[in-house]
Amino acid sequence: MIQRVTTPALFPPPTYSHASVVEAGTKLAFLAGSVPLDAEGKLVGEGDPVRQAEQVIANLEEQLRAVGSDLAHVLSTDVYVVSSETSVLSAVWEVVEASGLSTGPHSSTLIGVACLGYSGQLVEITATAVVPEATAPEQDPRS
């Protein structure tokens, strides 16, 4: 269903693919940016990009679950981090890598930005995912 491509002519990426290809007719979900807010709308991990990244991933998993998908079916992400320091971007990427998103590995862009939408927000992730076809439950042969 998903073909992950790492282009031999390019520098090999550490934990993501250069492209993901999906056959036509597959259901896709385009997710809005996942942000580091809890269920009550309170910022999680003020001043801590790693903690915020963990909350963003947890929220992303909820978004995916709501559309019938999961982290393993994510095709691509854009990871936004409020920082110009590569060490901060790398720390956030370690959270992404540990989450299971890079299992595919998916295609991703890691971007340092000046600010994001919520006061104190340091991390946001947008994603595109395949929504796998639901399999029919097995019928009991006795029924």
Side-chain angles (χ1 to χ4, degrees):
M1 180 188 307
I2 303 170
Q3 178 188 6
R4 315 230 189 228
V5 179
T6 299
T7 308
L10 299 176
F11 183 77
T15 56
Y16 61 91
S17 61
H18 290 123
S20 297
V21 179
V22 179
E23 249 182 76
T26 299
K27 190 175 183 181
L28 297 176
F30 299 88
L31 283 68
S34 179
V35 298
L37 302 180
D38 65 16
E40 288 77 41
K42 294 181 179 143
L43 182 70
V44 173
E46 187 169 345
D48 183 349
V50 169
R51 178 64 190 104
Q52 286 194 16
E54 292 166 349
Q55 184 66 43
V56 165
I57 294 291
N59 291 349
L60 180 61
E61 287 181 285
E62 289 301 321
Q63 288 174 277
L64 290 162
R65 193 175 354 273
V67 298
S69 192
D70 56 32
L71 292 176
H73 287 89
V74 170
L75 298 171
S76 67
T77 59
D78 290 319
V79 180
Y80 301 93
V81 182
V82 176
S83 183
S84 61
E85 298 293 324
T86 55
S87 61
V88 175
L89 275 67
S90 293
V92 168
W93 184 254
E94 287 176 14
V95 174
V96 171
E97 187 176 39
S99 73
L101 271 171
S102 61
T103 302
H106 72 298
S107 303
S108 187
T109 301
L110 179 61
I111 309 159
V113 298
C115 69
L116 291 166
Y118 291 98
S119 179
Q121 180 184 357
L122 301 173
V123 179
E124 184 164 338
I125 298 176
T126 61
T128 302
V130 167
V131 178
E133 291 184 27
T135 55
E138 289 187 31
Q139 295 290 324
D140 185 337
R142 297 173 288 178
S143 51

